Short mmCIF file of all heavy atoms in Angstrom, two decimals:
data_model
loop_
_atom_site.label_atom_id
_atom_site.label_comp_id
_atom_site.label_asym_id
_atom_site.label_seq_id
_atom_site.Cartn_x
_atom_site.Cartn_y
_atom_site.Cartn_z
N THR E 199 17.97 -0.96 -0.53
CA THR E 199 18.59 -0.69 -1.77
C THR E 199 17.68 -1.18 -2.96
O THR E 199 16.90 -2.12 -2.76
CB THR E 199 19.95 -1.41 -1.84
OG1 THR E 199 19.72 -2.87 -1.85
CG2 THR E 199 20.88 -0.99 -0.80
N ALA E 256 28.52 -0.70 -7.75
CA ALA E 256 28.39 -1.57 -6.48
C ALA E 256 29.17 -0.93 -5.32
O ALA E 256 28.83 -0.78 -4.21
CB ALA E 256 28.93 -2.95 -6.80
N MET E 275 18.49 -5.51 1.33
CA MET E 275 19.25 -5.46 0.08
C MET E 275 18.41 -5.96 -1.06
O MET E 275 18.56 -7.20 -1.47
CB MET E 275 20.48 -6.28 0.25
CG MET E 275 21.65 -5.62 0.96
SD MET E 275 22.33 -4.09 0.24
CE MET E 275 22.81 -4.68 -1.37
N ALA E 276 17.57 -5.15 -1.64
CA ALA E 276 16.71 -5.65 -2.76
C ALA E 276 17.44 -5.37 -4.14
O ALA E 276 16.93 -5.80 -5.13
CB ALA E 276 15.43 -4.92 -2.78
N ALA E 277 18.58 -4.69 -4.09
CA ALA E 277 19.32 -4.39 -5.35
C ALA E 277 19.89 -5.48 -5.99
O ALA E 277 20.35 -6.54 -5.24
CB ALA E 277 20.32 -3.20 -5.04
N ALA E 278 20.00 -5.47 -7.26
CA ALA E 278 20.78 -6.60 -8.02
C ALA E 278 22.20 -5.98 -8.13
O ALA E 278 22.41 -5.18 -9.10
CB ALA E 278 20.07 -6.91 -9.30
N VAL E 279 23.12 -6.48 -7.33
CA VAL E 279 24.49 -5.87 -7.31
C VAL E 279 25.39 -6.70 -8.17
O VAL E 279 25.41 -7.96 -8.07
CB VAL E 279 24.95 -5.94 -5.87
CG1 VAL E 279 26.37 -5.15 -5.79
CG2 VAL E 279 24.01 -5.24 -4.89
N SER E 280 26.18 -6.05 -9.03
CA SER E 280 27.06 -6.76 -9.95
C SER E 280 28.11 -7.32 -9.09
O SER E 280 28.73 -6.75 -8.27
CB SER E 280 27.68 -5.74 -10.88
OG SER E 280 28.61 -6.38 -11.72
N ASP E 281 28.42 -8.67 -9.39
CA ASP E 281 29.40 -9.34 -8.62
C ASP E 281 30.85 -8.87 -8.97
O ASP E 281 31.80 -9.13 -8.38
CB ASP E 281 29.34 -10.90 -8.73
CG ASP E 281 28.03 -11.33 -8.10
OD1 ASP E 281 27.71 -10.82 -6.98
OD2 ASP E 281 27.51 -12.26 -8.60
N ASN E 306 33.53 -7.46 -6.88
CA ASN E 306 33.03 -6.35 -6.11
C ASN E 306 32.82 -6.79 -4.64
O ASN E 306 32.74 -7.95 -4.34
CB ASN E 306 31.61 -5.96 -6.61
CG ASN E 306 31.69 -4.81 -7.70
OD1 ASN E 306 32.58 -3.93 -7.59
ND2 ASN E 306 30.79 -4.75 -8.65
N PRO E 307 32.70 -5.90 -3.78
CA PRO E 307 32.46 -6.33 -2.27
C PRO E 307 31.03 -6.95 -2.33
O PRO E 307 30.18 -6.44 -3.10
CB PRO E 307 32.43 -5.04 -1.57
CG PRO E 307 32.38 -3.93 -2.51
CD PRO E 307 32.91 -4.40 -3.86
N ASP E 308 30.83 -7.92 -1.50
CA ASP E 308 29.49 -8.50 -1.34
C ASP E 308 28.89 -7.71 -0.14
O ASP E 308 29.17 -7.94 1.10
CB ASP E 308 29.58 -10.00 -0.94
CG ASP E 308 28.26 -10.62 -0.90
OD1 ASP E 308 27.28 -9.99 -0.35
OD2 ASP E 308 28.12 -11.75 -1.43
N ILE E 309 28.06 -6.81 -0.52
CA ILE E 309 27.55 -5.76 0.51
C ILE E 309 26.78 -6.45 1.57
O ILE E 309 26.94 -6.27 2.78
CB ILE E 309 26.64 -4.72 -0.22
CG1 ILE E 309 27.42 -3.95 -1.37
CG2 ILE E 309 26.16 -3.72 0.74
CD1 ILE E 309 26.58 -3.11 -2.29
N LEU E 310 25.94 -7.42 1.15
CA LEU E 310 25.06 -8.10 2.06
C LEU E 310 25.92 -8.83 3.17
O LEU E 310 25.66 -8.86 4.34
CB LEU E 310 24.11 -9.03 1.35
CG LEU E 310 23.07 -9.75 2.17
CD1 LEU E 310 22.18 -8.92 2.82
CD2 LEU E 310 22.31 -10.77 1.20
N LYS E 311 26.93 -9.60 2.61
CA LYS E 311 27.73 -10.39 3.50
C LYS E 311 28.53 -9.53 4.48
O LYS E 311 28.68 -9.84 5.66
CB LYS E 311 28.76 -11.18 2.62
CG LYS E 311 29.28 -12.42 3.30
CD LYS E 311 30.07 -13.28 2.13
CE LYS E 311 30.69 -14.44 2.83
NZ LYS E 311 31.19 -15.34 1.80
N ILE E 324 18.29 -8.09 5.78
CA ILE E 324 17.47 -8.87 4.85
C ILE E 324 17.99 -8.90 3.48
O ILE E 324 18.24 -7.72 2.88
CB ILE E 324 15.97 -8.26 4.79
CG1 ILE E 324 15.41 -8.24 6.26
CG2 ILE E 324 15.11 -9.09 3.87
CD1 ILE E 324 14.52 -7.11 6.58
N GLY E 325 18.24 -10.02 3.04
CA GLY E 325 18.72 -10.16 1.56
C GLY E 325 17.71 -10.55 0.61
O GLY E 325 16.66 -11.09 1.03
N PHE E 326 17.93 -10.50 -0.67
CA PHE E 326 17.09 -11.10 -1.71
C PHE E 326 17.83 -12.11 -2.48
O PHE E 326 19.07 -12.03 -2.60
CB PHE E 326 16.57 -9.90 -2.64
CG PHE E 326 15.29 -9.32 -2.22
CD1 PHE E 326 15.23 -8.55 -1.10
CD2 PHE E 326 14.07 -9.63 -2.90
CE1 PHE E 326 14.00 -8.03 -0.70
CE2 PHE E 326 12.95 -9.08 -2.45
CZ PHE E 326 12.72 -8.25 -1.33
N CYS E 327 17.12 -12.97 -3.06
CA CYS E 327 17.82 -13.94 -4.00
C CYS E 327 16.97 -14.19 -5.13
O CYS E 327 15.82 -14.59 -4.95
CB CYS E 327 18.45 -15.11 -3.30
SG CYS E 327 17.74 -16.51 -3.21
N ALA E 328 17.56 -14.05 -6.33
CA ALA E 328 16.80 -14.31 -7.57
C ALA E 328 17.55 -15.60 -8.15
O ALA E 328 18.69 -15.57 -8.47
CB ALA E 328 16.90 -13.15 -8.45
N GLU E 329 16.70 -16.65 -8.29
CA GLU E 329 17.41 -17.85 -8.76
C GLU E 329 16.49 -18.38 -10.00
O GLU E 329 15.31 -18.12 -10.06
CB GLU E 329 17.36 -18.96 -7.67
CG GLU E 329 18.07 -18.56 -6.50
CD GLU E 329 19.58 -18.57 -6.64
OE1 GLU E 329 20.09 -19.17 -7.58
OE2 GLU E 329 20.30 -17.94 -5.82
N LYS E 340 22.28 -19.60 0.56
CA LYS E 340 22.64 -18.09 0.50
C LYS E 340 22.55 -17.49 1.88
O LYS E 340 23.40 -16.80 2.30
CB LYS E 340 21.83 -17.45 -0.54
CG LYS E 340 22.56 -16.45 -1.34
CD LYS E 340 21.92 -16.05 -2.71
CE LYS E 340 22.70 -16.68 -3.81
NZ LYS E 340 22.13 -16.23 -5.12
N LYS E 344 25.76 -15.85 3.48
CA LYS E 344 25.75 -14.47 3.58
C LYS E 344 25.65 -14.00 5.02
O LYS E 344 26.06 -12.88 5.42
CB LYS E 344 24.71 -13.76 2.78
CG LYS E 344 24.70 -14.16 1.25
CD LYS E 344 25.09 -13.00 0.47
CE LYS E 344 25.03 -13.37 -1.01
NZ LYS E 344 25.43 -12.22 -1.85
N ILE E 349 16.04 -14.01 4.05
CA ILE E 349 16.32 -13.88 2.67
C ILE E 349 14.97 -14.05 1.96
O ILE E 349 14.04 -14.88 2.34
CB ILE E 349 17.31 -14.89 2.16
CG1 ILE E 349 17.99 -14.40 0.83
CG2 ILE E 349 16.74 -16.34 1.89
CD1 ILE E 349 19.48 -14.46 0.91
N1 CTP O 525 24.49 -8.83 -2.98
C1 CTP O 525 25.25 -7.90 -2.41
N2 CTP O 525 26.59 -7.62 -3.03
C2 CTP O 525 26.92 -8.31 -4.04
C3 CTP O 525 26.15 -9.22 -4.69
C4 CTP O 525 24.84 -9.52 -4.14
O1 CTP O 525 24.90 -7.26 -1.45
N3 CTP O 525 28.12 -8.05 -4.59
C5 CTP O 525 23.19 -9.10 -2.38
C6 CTP O 525 21.92 -8.80 -3.21
O2 CTP O 525 21.48 -7.45 -3.01
C7 CTP O 525 20.95 -9.74 -2.75
C8 CTP O 525 21.78 -10.91 -2.33
O3 CTP O 525 23.07 -10.43 -2.13
O4 CTP O 525 20.30 -9.27 -1.56
C9 CTP O 525 21.83 -12.05 -3.18
O5 CTP O 525 22.17 -11.71 -4.57
P1 CTP O 525 22.37 -12.77 -5.67
O6 CTP O 525 22.87 -11.98 -6.86
O7 CTP O 525 21.28 -13.68 -5.70
O8 CTP O 525 23.61 -13.48 -5.02
P2 CTP O 525 25.11 -13.62 -5.32
O9 CTP O 525 25.83 -13.49 -4.01
O10 CTP O 525 25.59 -12.66 -6.33
O11 CTP O 525 25.18 -15.17 -5.69
P3 CTP O 525 25.15 -15.75 -7.18
O12 CTP O 525 25.07 -14.62 -8.22
O13 CTP O 525 26.46 -16.51 -7.25
O14 CTP O 525 23.96 -16.64 -7.20
#
Side-chain angles (χ1 to χ4, degrees):
T199 64
M275 281 296 303
V279 185
S280 173
D281 290 325
N306 266 329
D308 188 320
I309 306 173
L310 183 63
K311 198 170 180 172
I324 300 147
F326 267 71
C327 95
E329 301 289 341
K340 222 161 252 186
K344 305 248 186 184
I349 206 130

